[in-house]
Amino acid sequence: MAKQITFEFEGKEYVLEFTRKSIETMEKQGFIASEIAEKPVSTLPTLFAGAFLAHHRYVKREVIDKIFDKITNKQELIGKLAEMYNEPIMALMDEPEEDEGNVNWVASW
């Protein structure tokens, strides 16, 4: 099962998660994970907002920012979000589990 963060805000339950599709959307919108150290003020809230895309795509950014302002233990939260963000990327690079029907390739040089 994919890693998720759950919480309730103003009577609504939220489930944060990253999928390949949500990461692709973030990348198309200009998010670059390697910029977190250089541009934390813009990238950390964007990382948090990106975690809403999988299950809460239509939540307005102003609501997400309000939640981010009120959420506790932000340092640990950011670490968990980074771990969650990395999971679909690592899954993309995993080798197939079955041997039957796999595609093998050879380079010609």
Side-chain angles (χ1 to χ4, degrees):
M1 181 177 184
K3 294 178 179 160
Q4 298 177 332
I5 292 174
T6 59
F7 61 88
E8 188 177 306
F9 180 74
E10 295 183 347
K12 180 172 167 97
E13 187 167 318
Y14 292 90
V15 177
L16 304 187
E17 180 179 356
F18 289 104
T19 63
R20 285 163 78 176
K21 184 69 175 165
S22 64
I23 291 173
E24 180 181 344
T25 299
M26 291 173 66
E27 289 173 349
K28 286 179 180 177
Q29 294 171 347
F31 181 78
I32 302 170
S34 63
E35 291 183 343
I36 288 176
E38 296 86 30
K39 299 178 182 181
V41 173
S42 59
T43 54
L44 292 179
T46 302
L47 178 66
F48 182 69
F52 282 76
L53 292 173
H55 299 287
H56 309 285
R57 177 173 292 282
Y58 299 107
V59 174
K60 294 183 179 184
R61 181 62 188 251
E62 61 198 35
V63 173
I64 294 170
D65 290 343
K66 185 177 178 183
I67 294 169
F68 188 73
D69 288 343
K70 297 283 186 180
I71 206 154
T72 59
N73 202 1
K74 284 185 179 74
Q75 189 168 0
E76 185 176 348
L77 172 72
I78 296 302
K80 293 294 184 189
L81 288 171
E83 187 178 322
M84 289 167 49
Y85 182 89
N86 197 43
E87 187 176 69
I89 296 167
M90 297 307 293
L92 177 66
M93 301 307 294
D94 280 349
E95 292 292 326
E97 290 183 20
E98 297 179 14
D99 286 335
E100 218 171 293
N102 287 347
V103 177
N104 295 314
W105 61 274
V106 177
S108 63
W109 70 95

